[in-house]
Amino acid sequence: MAGAGLWVRWSLRDLRKRWLQVAVIALVAGLGSGAYTGLGSASTWRRAAYDNGYAALAAHDAKVSLTANADVDAATLASVPGRLAHPGWVDGATVQLVVPTQVDASIDGRTILVPGRVVGVAFDGPAPAVDRFDLRSGAALSPSGRDGVLDVHFARHHGLPAAGDLRLGGNRSLRYTGLVLQPDYFLIMNDLGGFLAEAGYAVAFTNLEAAQELAGKPGRANQLVVRWAAGVDPGAAHDELAAAFAAAFPDQASTVADRPDERASRVLYDDIEGDQKFFNVFAFLIMAGAAFAAFNLASRVVEAQRREIGIGMALGVPPPRIAIRPLLVGLEVALAGVAFGVAVGVVVGRLVVGVFSDFFPMPAWATPFQGGAFARGAAIGVVLVFVATVYPVVRAVRVEPIDAIKVGLRETKPSGWAGLVQRLPLPGGSLGQMPVRNALRNPRRSLLTALGISAAIATLVGVLGTLDSFTATIDRGEREILATSPDRMLVTIDGFERRGGAATTAVQAVPGVAHADEGLRVVGRVAPLGPGEVADVGAVGTDGFDVVIDLLDMADAMWRPSLVAGSYPGDRPALVLSEKAATDMGVVAGGTVRLRHPRREGLGYRWTVSEVLVSGIHPNPYRYAVFMDLRHASLMNLDGIVNFLQVTPVPGTDRDAVVWGLFHLDGIASVVPVSTITANVRQTVGRVTDVLDIVQGVVLVLAVLIAFNSSSISADERARENATMFAFGVPVGRVLAMGVVESALIGLAATVLGVGLGRVVLAWIVHGVLPGTMPDLLVVTSVRGVTYLLAAALGIVAVAAAPVLTSRRLRRMPIADTLRIVE
Amino acid sequence: MSLISLAGVGRSFDTVAGRVVALAGVDLEVDAGDLAVLLGPSGSGKTTLLNLIGALDQPTEGRIEVGGRDLTTASRRELFAYRRETVSFVFQTFNLFPGLTALENVRFGADVAGRPDAAEEAHAMLERVGLADRASHFPAQLSGGEQQRVAIARALATGNRVVLADEPTGELDYRTGIGILELLAEQSADGRRAVLIVTHNREIARMADRVVELQGGRVVRDGAPDGGAVPVASLRW
Ligand SMILES: Nc1ncnc2c1ncn2[C@@H]1O[C@H](COP(=O)(O)OP(=O)(O)O)[C@@H](O)[C@H]1O
Ligand SMILES: [Mg+2]
């Protein structure tokens, strides 16, 4: 009996004979494992870039902020870290003054008018002690002087130069000398807590004195950021910090937040997990496509070797021995796939990091080789491809030798449903029927090919459907926000004032302003109220979530939320919640929840928890949007107090002109047309899709490769039939056309399967993944017609075109030699 | 002028092991109505010659004209048209399309030649080879002899004037072989067609009006068989 060397040589010869198909399968497997490893590595690189970014810029561990536009004496605030029971726990602290303002960064005739803030930071020597700057371009912020620096996200989004002038609300201005990253603003969130807000939110930094001067608040501050010494328990330190602040400012309500719990930081890190879940789905689907393709090739290699297998068995070679050769082919393909996978992984990883580093600028992005991810991807790739070859091989060596040797038996002994579909009466001549007959001739094989392609299509539908769903969700939010009053703008007042106060009067006097409805916006937190539970402070916090509560005059306002259930608040204080909030808390209209909200006491505010009725549900997809009636401001002890206005321009007036007019008023913090809020979200979501474009590219290549491979395998198997047709004078173009029709049929089946599977994937993403990664958003499942069209274009057109790639081979086929091969 | 006319035809192959001369200096004229047998031992060049006449291959020397068309100067497109309109093959290994039924395989021949009455023609041909009752069977469900009869029906359904059969009985038993040969012999009887049958079997050659004997790629004999043609049924091998 021959030694192992012969079997390896023999299998390599098999491999060489089909080198093109083997290369394609290896590439497909490589795309699968490469996509997995590349996307997996990107997560590690992102986490490292964030960790290093926070460390490099001495990011704060805890932040004390004051509630609702209050401020305190800066020197006293600076003394708080020294008042901790363990002052040694503090490694560094920086006092800040955050000044909300409208920012006019218009340039070259483009109007860029957005809300934002100027953050004044106390310097400790040449740099702040905590939350330092990473200078991206221009000149650094100086500890003295009146110039500032601008956050790079906003500047980059609008293509602003490295230095320039900003006009701020109330006729103030600020010159900036450079563009920076600051760890508190690695991710830009607007006042509403919406992240990815960089297009519509400007953050500028100055030294503390410059900010105090801008705000007209000399010696004041409203935020303290603290960094703990190494080895300090952040929980204990947090409590000491809160106690020290309360001792220093007994009447001042404040929030102490740990950085890992802050939204921006949480979103940054959660996003990695969320993306990875996403990517794993897609990588898995790509792998599934590769496995089907490998299975297909293995089945056909085995079929081609059938007679040889039979002869081997007839000669008494034991089946395991016979199985070695085709199994070796599978293993060799798998190993080649791993080689490709490493290359693809490196490319995909680079592309993904390119997108992320562009999207989330960090002080430094490093991309060290991820051995672990690569080893995992390689292992999965090898195992999948190898396992896919085992089944057909085992099946082949199980048959009786006599059946294996018999010619033609394997080819269509029509039986069962295969026989049924073969007998379907078909219209048209024999040539017209041939493609259908061929596709149905071996339904199992056609189905496998279709499955491989359908995995690619499912991935595509999953990717594009996710994007479509986001778009549909944004559309839904936009419809709700624009609704009856699409021209309206939200005008935020600096601080609070009485109804009918100076700011309101001034706004109403601006030319072009038709109406100004007063409102009150406060932040809070809601949580479900368990049966028999009593509302108490502190209980909200672990199980609830943050909300922004807009108190409007529900009876008269130009805009109010629409309702999908329940009613507007009546006499008792009541909330109108978003569907997502209601579902998450398990309440319906008429139920009760716990609301943590600020309550005015003396000169300051205290957090307090109330049990509040839910009167209605609104359709806005953002969970944090909560509405109350302005009449119920008494709950916060803020009767007759307002801090924002909904303003409509006189029909026909230039909206920009009205915005400018409002912008120049004293006491106005921001002016934002509601339509730009949604426009900015839309723009930013558009950038997230860059990563999905990479996945899409991989998927497209994959589908074409799988289609090409099965066409190429078919061309091999059909060589004799094609030669016979040529012998009868059927032109090459006609033979190709039949191949195209056959492929199109398989492509059609693949598309139907793939779209169905893609919908399942999408449903899982929307209902299984997104609620965890984007808890604030109620994503509606939606797939646009264009997506189906694209799937069909890929599945039917691209797949149908694959046989054309074999036309050279057909044209050059030596007809006589092909026919002389005697089976 | 003859239907098939070869003058000084040679075909050699360049292989890694050197030049193989498969045919050399072959002159041959075959008229419509002829039933000719190409006889010779294995490797004598029979298949090569048949392939040249069928335009599946090009000679390295000489000229081939069939039905007034010069195959050596014709374009690729013309050769495809020639194969559709002038010649039909019957192969030793049948080469039926496994995805088509018996009837559909026959219909293929009629379709490809562009016959307007393809459907009727296919039925008629299948009936003529005695397989009308197997019309909806696939090749895998037919015996070797039945498959070869379908292949002949397919070739005849084209209506083409030159029928080329390469060892059509090679894979078949004696009785079945006789049936196939009778079927082929009938085809030249109407005087419109020329039928060329390749065989290495001297006994089979006795059925022909004319035997062309090849040896080492050369024609060593061309004429009526010894003792004249005998009925197929009397052949013994
Ligand atoms: N494509 C080819 N390459 C090399 N030699 C060939 C080729 N085709 C045929 N031959 C050689 O030409 C000779 C005649 O072959 P063939 O016509 O098939 O013989 P026959 O059909 O009489 O058995 C043989 O020696 C064969 O090896
Ligand atoms: Mg031969």
Side-chain angles (χ1 to χ4, degrees):
Chain A
M1 211 165 281
L6 174 89
W7 295 102
V8 174
R9 265 203 316 283
W10 202 352
S11 69
L12 283 171
R13 229 172 267 161
D14 293 339
L15 211 63
R16 205 160 44 231
K17 218 167 71 195
R18 294 170 174 267
W19 73 269
L20 187 63
Q21 291 148 13
V22 164
V24 171
I25 297 287
L27 190 54
V28 166
L31 279 174
S33 62
Y36 175 83
T37 53
L39 296 170
S41 301
S43 295
T44 312
W45 292 329
R46 279 172 79 182
R47 200 165 285 119
Y50 300 168
D51 289 347
N52 296 339
Y54 281 121
L57 301 182
H60 63 270
D61 292 311
K63 183 202 281 177
V64 185
S65 356
L66 306 194
T67 334
N69 293 338
D71 47 66
V72 295
D73 178 59
T76 317
L77 186 59
S79 74
V80 168
R83 297 177 186 225
L84 259 64
H86 299 86
W89 285 0
V90 178
D91 180 48
T94 295
V95 164
Q96 301 178 336
L97 176 65
V98 178
V99 186
T101 178
Q102 182 84 358
V103 176
D104 172 13
S106 301
I107 185 170
D108 304 333
R110 278 183 297 139
T111 301
I112 306 168
L113 205 53
V114 298
R117 51 174 54 175
V118 173
V119 182
V121 297
F123 273 69
D124 183 11
V130 176
D131 286 349
R132 299 192 183 127
F133 300 104
D134 176 42
L135 185 68
R136 310 295 286 189
S137 58
L141 182 62
S142 98
S144 58
R146 291 294 164 259
D147 290 344
V149 287
L150 184 60
D151 166 63
V152 69
H153 301 86
F154 173 77
R156 195 191 47 179
H157 186 97
H158 293 288
L160 301 182
D165 284 304
L166 302 173
R167 271 88 41 213
L168 309 179
N171 283 320
R172 295 164 297 181
S173 73
L174 176 69
R175 194 167 63 209
Y176 69 92
T177 59
L179 304 179
V180 298
L181 267 176
Q182 200 254 33
D184 209 6
Y185 299 92
F186 276 163
L187 189 72
I188 303 299
M189 330 227 353
N190 59 24
D191 294 332
L192 290 181
F195 55 93
L196 304 175
E198 62 192 62
Y201 199 78
V203 182
F205 303 92
T206 62
N207 59 53
L208 184 60
E209 293 72 30
Q212 289 168 339
E213 192 176 303
L214 268 175
K217 292 175 173 173
R220 308 296 284 178
N222 57 10
Q223 190 159 281
L224 176 71
V225 285
V226 181
R227 191 171 166 79
W228 304 129
V232 169
D233 168 23
H238 173 114
D239 294 341
E240 287 198 6
L241 181 62
F245 182 89
F249 304 101
D251 286 329
Q252 185 62 56
S254 69
T255 337
V256 181
D258 298 319
R259 183 172 45 81
D261 297 335
E262 284 178 43
R263 270 184 64 86
S265 159
R266 220 175 53 220
V267 167
L268 268 183
Y269 283 98
D270 285 356
D271 199 40
I272 300 178
E273 313 277 314
D275 285 349
Q276 191 57 55
K277 270 191 191 172
F278 247 49
F279 294 162
N280 286 346
V281 179
F282 296 131
F284 172 79
L285 280 169
I286 292 171
M287 293 261 215
F292 280 125
F295 181 75
N296 225 350
L297 180 73
S299 305
R300 291 173 179 209
V301 168
V302 169
E303 248 167 61
Q305 293 181 357
R306 223 185 138 68
R307 267 172 76 84
E308 295 173 43
I309 289 173
I311 293 165
M313 288 197 283
L315 292 176
V317 184
R321 195 80 192 230
I322 292 171
I324 288 176
R325 191 174 140 217
L327 284 180
L328 274 175
V329 171
L331 191 63
E332 285 152 0
V333 172
L335 290 175
V338 167
F340 272 123
V342 171
V344 172
V346 168
V347 172
V348 168
R350 284 292 135 84
L351 286 173
V352 171
V353 160
V355 170
F356 281 119
S357 60
D358 186 48
F359 197 67
F360 300 116
M362 285 289 150
W365 278 90
T367 52
F369 183 78
Q370 292 302 309
F374 275 84
R376 261 195 318 276
I380 296 175
V382 169
V383 167
L384 264 185
V385 171
F386 186 67
V387 164
T389 60
V390 167
Y391 173 74
V393 171
V394 166
R395 241 172 71 113
V397 297
R398 276 226 188 115
V399 298
E400 290 302 313
I402 186 65
D403 289 331
I405 294 176
K406 227 187 267 170
V407 184
L409 172 103
R410 182 99 183 89
E411 186 64 79
T412 331
K413 195 76 182 187
S415 59
W417 70 282
L420 274 180
V421 288
Q422 276 186 3
R423 273 168 223 290
L424 284 180
L426 293 166
S430 57
L431 277 103
Q433 292 184 7
M434 193 107 66
V436 185
R437 291 275 188 234
N438 280 337
L440 296 180
R441 188 157 113 203
N442 193 335
R444 199 176 61 101
R445 172 193 301 170
S446 299
L447 189 71
L448 273 174
T449 308
L451 274 175
I453 298 165
S454 75
I457 291 175
T459 314
L460 190 79
V461 170
V463 172
L464 294 180
T466 305
L467 297 179
D468 290 348
S469 299
F470 276 122
T471 307
T473 303
I474 295 170
D475 285 346
R476 188 175 182 204
E478 188 171 69
R479 267 197 308 281
E480 166 68 5
I481 290 171
L482 300 184
T484 48
S485 185
D487 286 336
R488 77 184 200 285
M489 32 199 118
L490 297 181
V491 177
T492 317
I493 301 169
D494 248 343
F496 293 100
E497 70 170 32
R498 302 232 127 251
R499 291 191 80 160
T504 308
T505 318
V507 165
Q508 276 163 338
V510 168
V513 168
H515 282 290
D517 289 335
E518 296 168 305
L520 175 65
R521 169 172 291 176
V522 294
V523 293
R525 199 172 166 89
V526 291
L529 182 71
E533 233 179 300
V534 183
D536 81 295
V537 190
V540 188
T542 50
D543 50 352
F545 48 87
D546 293 327
V547 293
V548 175
I549 309 158
D550 279 354
L551 295 95
L552 308 171
D553 184 347
M554 291 280 183
D556 280 336
M558 64 184 70
W559 179 91
R560 60 177 184 180
S562 60
L563 294 178
V564 291
S567 57
Y568 293 104
D571 293 335
R572 272 174 62 195
L575 304 177
V576 177
L577 293 178
S578 69
E579 275 180 277
K580 180 76 162 74
T583 316
D584 284 357
M585 289 190 290
V587 291
V588 291
T592 307
V593 295
R594 281 176 290 162
L595 172 69
R596 185 171 79 139
H597 58 89
R599 185 175 168 83
R600 188 169 60 160
E601 268 175 29
L603 292 173
Y605 298 86
R606 289 222 167 274
W607 286 115
T608 167
V609 175
S610 310
E611 217 181 292
V612 187
L613 175 75
V614 175
S615 70
I617 309 293
H618 68 74
N620 193 322
Y622 296 98
R623 183 174 71 173
Y624 56 74
V626 171
F627 300 90
M628 288 182 71
D629 198 303
L630 197 50
R631 285 182 294 164
H632 302 136
S634 48
L635 190 70
M636 288 115 197
N637 194 21
L638 287 171
D639 315 68
I641 302 291
V642 296
N643 65 356
F644 80 98
L645 302 165
Q646 301 194 69
V647 173
T648 38
V650 175
T653 53
D654 176 20
R655 197 188 63 188
D656 271 1
V658 178
V659 173
W660 283 98
L662 293 167
F663 177 69
H664 287 294
L665 291 179
D666 269 346
I668 297 301
S670 71
V671 184
V672 186
V674 286
S675 58
T676 62
I677 299 176
T678 48
N680 283 340
V681 172
R682 208 177 282 281
Q683 222 174 11
T684 314
V685 166
R687 297 188 46 205
V688 184
T689 64
D690 286 358
V691 176
L692 297 184
D693 285 346
I694 297 172
V695 174
Q696 206 180 316
V698 171
V699 165
L700 265 156
V701 173
L702 183 76
V704 172
L705 283 179
I706 292 178
F708 169 73
N709 215 37
S710 57
S711 295
S712 149
I713 293 173
S714 293
D716 276 0
E717 286 173 350
R718 303 266 169 84
R720 278 175 80 83
E721 280 175 59
N722 291 339
T724 305
M725 279 200 256
F726 294 151
F728 274 84
V730 179
V732 176
R734 185 75 200 255
V735 172
L736 269 182
M738 291 198 280
V740 166
V741 172
E742 185 184 336
S743 276
L745 287 172
I746 292 175
L748 179 67
T751 305
V752 171
L753 266 170
V755 166
L757 196 61
R759 296 278 329 207
V760 173
V761 170
L762 179 60
W764 181 73
I765 287 171
V766 169
H767 300 293
V769 178
L770 291 180
T773 58
M774 297 188 161
D776 275 337
L777 201 59
L778 178 71
V779 179
V780 289
T781 309
S782 165
V783 182
R784 286 184 307 162
V786 179
T787 297
Y788 289 127
L789 270 181
L790 250 171
L794 174 68
I796 302 172
V797 181
V799 170
V804 177
L805 297 173
T806 64
S807 81
R808 217 175 87 103
R809 238 160 83 208
L810 280 182
R811 243 172 260 286
R812 298 182 154 203
M813 173 192 272
I815 306 171
D817 288 348
T818 309
L819 284 169
R820 68 185 277 127
I821 304 161
V822 175
E823 271 191 72
Chain B
M1 193 186 168
S2 307
L3 181 55
I4 303 170
S5 158
L6 282 75
V9 169
R11 176 70 167 103
S12 49
F13 298 95
D14 288 317
T15 67
V16 281
R19 169 167 288 223
V20 179
V21 179
L23 284 177
V26 173
D27 299 311
L28 186 67
E29 305 277 325
V30 181
D31 291 317
D34 278 0
L35 171 65
V37 168
L38 289 177
L39 179 69
S42 182
S44 58
K46 306 179 299 287
T47 298
T48 305
L49 183 57
L50 210 64
N51 286 344
L52 291 177
I53 297 172
L56 297 183
D57 193 12
Q58 287 287 326
T60 39
E61 282 163 58
R63 250 163 60 116
I64 306 175
E65 273 183 39
V66 179
R69 200 192 298 242
D70 187 342
L71 300 187
T72 39
T73 57
S75 69
R76 207 182 133 79
R77 176 186 287 269
E78 284 168 337
L79 292 179
F80 267 89
Y82 162 76
R83 291 201 294 266
R84 282 197 299 278
E85 295 155 8
T86 310
V87 287
S88 303
F89 280 93
V90 177
F91 304 98
Q92 178 177 358
T93 49
F94 326 139
N95 284 335
L96 293 177
F97 299 110
L100 300 184
T101 62
L103 180 63
E104 285 163 348
N105 264 287
V106 179
R107 169 93 193 257
F108 170 89
D111 280 338
V112 115
R115 300 186 67 151
D117 53 347
E120 297 76 47
E121 193 59 36
H123 272 291
M125 278 302 160
L126 202 58
E127 195 153 341
R128 219 163 121 197
V129 299
L131 287 175
D133 55 332
R134 314 298 297 269
S136 64
H137 288 198
F138 287 92
Q141 298 166 308
L142 300 173
S143 72
E146 286 164 340
Q147 288 191 46
Q148 192 58 302
R149 271 144 75 192
V150 173
I152 289 170
R154 178 175 68 178
L156 298 180
T158 60
N160 292 347
R161 297 176 62 198
V162 177
V163 176
L164 306 173
D166 193 356
E167 311 257 6
T169 60
E171 298 235 327
L172 306 176
D173 61 86
Y174 166 75
R175 176 157 297 283
T176 317
I178 293 290
I180 296 295
L181 290 173
E182 275 177 332
L183 198 56
L184 284 169
E186 279 170 30
Q187 303 312 317
S188 59
D190 62 2
R192 204 181 71 82
R193 277 201 180 98
V195 178
L196 266 76
I197 301 173
V198 162
T199 181
H200 60 268
N201 190 325
R202 202 160 277 280
E203 178 72 9
I204 290 178
R206 290 175 57 211
M207 68 181 268
D209 311 320
R210 183 172 167 198
V211 177
V212 178
E213 200 172 334
L214 285 173
Q215 225 157 59
R218 292 180 179 275
V219 178
V220 294
R221 207 190 103 155
D222 185 354
D226 297 332
V230 300
V232 172
S234 68
L235 300 178
R236 288 286 177 276
W237 76 85

